[in-house]
Amino acid sequence: MTKLAFIGAGNMNGAILSGLVNKGFNPQNIIVANPSAPKREALSEQYGVLHTSSNIEAVAFADYVILGVKPHLIAQVCQEIATETAIENKCFVSVAAGCTIEQIQQALNGQYPVIRVMPNTPSQLGYGVSGLYASIDVSENQKQQTAEFMKSVGIIKWLNTEAEIDHIIAVSGSAPAYFFLFMEAMQNKAIALGFTEQESRELVQQTALGAAQMVINNDLPISQLRKNVTSKGGTTQAALTTLIDGGLEQLVTNAMDSALHRAKEMAENSN
């Protein structure tokens, strides 16, 4: 059976791990390495996976190594791995924003197979979006296996260039937080209107879920769906006019550009 090592026990690795286990991946074929005992022990207790404080032990155990540490730690972790254990025939899957394949291979001191993956946190529920880009050293079997891992937590898209990883970050990697902020603002206003905090949350979350399902279950352009629920001179039109006049569309564009710019900065700073 294929074995996986998760280096790091942060939010993204935790999301992928939970999605895999929830889809039936054998937790005894997964090991989590993290210097913080509480984090890795929490994942082990919740999902039944193995855990260790040693990156070396984890890498020795696995066929695929998921690098989920902070970008500024990637080089250090990869150098440690390359120095202390045999890494031939292993495939490295990086979910770290801003670290290029070239940088990872340099730290590993060799042209080892590296796949960059940019998932998002809804992966823990099976509703993730992941962009993937593979180095030329990755075999077709390794590409297929990695694709299957990520399909278990949502939809995937193979990218034509590594630069498109930054685009995925702006469009879907960071995007759940965009929606959370919008929902938070709606909830706060609902509370101000007299609903309880719980009532406000239920109203907002169900509305967001319903809107998403209308997009999923309809082939019409999103713009047309918006028009279909906007009666001329009605309440929805009044609200949308305020949002548009307030510059919402440009604000969203600016926010996504900021995410893209920051991703590029992180890559430059990790050189």
Side-chain angles (χ1 to χ4, degrees):
M1 293 293 294
T2 301
K3 294 183 177 180
L4 308 179
F6 286 83
I7 308 299
N11 292 337
M12 195 59 73
N13 266 5
I16 299 170
L17 183 156
S18 64
L20 285 167
V21 174
N22 289 336
K23 288 289 186 177
F25 196 94
N26 186 348
Q28 289 298 293
N29 288 329
I30 298 175
I31 189 168
V32 179
N34 198 73
S36 169
K39 284 187 176 182
R40 66 174 191 268
E41 288 172 356
L43 289 173
S44 178
E45 182 177 348
Q46 185 171 2
Y47 301 109
V49 299
L50 307 176
H51 68 94
T52 177
S53 62
S54 169
N55 293 336
I56 307 306
E57 180 183 347
V59 172
F61 169 88
D63 305 299
Y64 291 79
V65 180
I66 294 84
L67 300 168
V69 299
K70 298 293 185 182
H72 69 277
L73 296 175
I74 282 285
Q76 176 185 331
V77 168
C78 288
Q79 288 166 5
E80 175 197 20
I81 291 169
T83 302
E84 299 293 336
T85 189
I87 56 176
E88 290 76 12
N89 303 317
K90 298 184 187 294
C91 182
F92 293 86
V93 180
S94 172
V95 298
C99 290
T100 67
I101 287 173
E102 181 181 5
Q103 290 166 346
I104 293 169
Q105 289 180 332
Q106 285 178 348
L108 291 171
N109 197 30
Q111 297 294 307
Y112 297 104
V114 177
I115 299 176
R116 286 190 66 189
V117 177
M118 183 44 58
N120 58 8
T121 50
S123 297
Q124 62 188 299
L125 303 176
Y127 294 107
V129 177
S130 300
L132 296 86
Y133 182 80
S135 70
I136 60 173
D137 316 281
V138 177
S139 70
E140 285 302 315
N141 181 62
Q142 289 169 331
K143 288 181 67 174
Q144 182 178 348
Q145 285 269 33
T146 303
E148 289 305 312
F149 300 153
M150 301 313 301
K151 283 180 182 176
S152 72
V153 296
I155 66 171
I156 69 166
K157 177 174 176 55
W158 283 102
L159 306 174
N160 296 318
T161 67
E162 189 172 2
E164 291 179 349
I165 286 285
D166 293 341
H167 301 174
I168 283 286
I169 292 172
V171 175
S172 62
S174 298
Y178 310 164
F179 291 101
F180 295 153
L181 179 61
F182 196 87
M183 293 169 72
E184 182 183 0
M186 290 182 63
Q187 181 186 27
N188 289 339
K189 181 57 180 177
I191 292 171
L193 290 172
F195 295 102
T196 67
E197 183 174 350
Q198 184 60 32
E199 289 171 338
S200 299
R201 177 176 175 133
E202 290 173 353
L203 289 169
V204 171
Q205 69 189 26
Q206 187 65 22
T207 302
L209 176 63
Q213 286 294 335
M214 288 183 71
V215 173
I216 292 169
N217 295 315
N218 203 308
D219 293 331
L220 290 173
I222 295 176
S223 60
Q224 186 59 52
L225 292 174
R226 172 180 56 78
K227 293 174 184 176
N228 288 351
V229 297
T230 307
S231 301
K232 186 175 180 179
T235 58
T236 305
Q237 185 179 58
L240 291 180
T241 297
T242 299
L243 291 171
I244 294 169
D245 289 348
L248 177 65
E249 292 171 294
Q250 187 60 52
L251 191 60
V252 170
T253 296
N254 293 345
M256 294 173 70
D257 283 342
S258 294
L260 181 60
H261 178 69
R262 180 56 183 153
K264 292 178 179 178
E265 277 187 340
M266 291 169 66
E268 292 170 1
N269 291 338
S270 60
N271 284 327

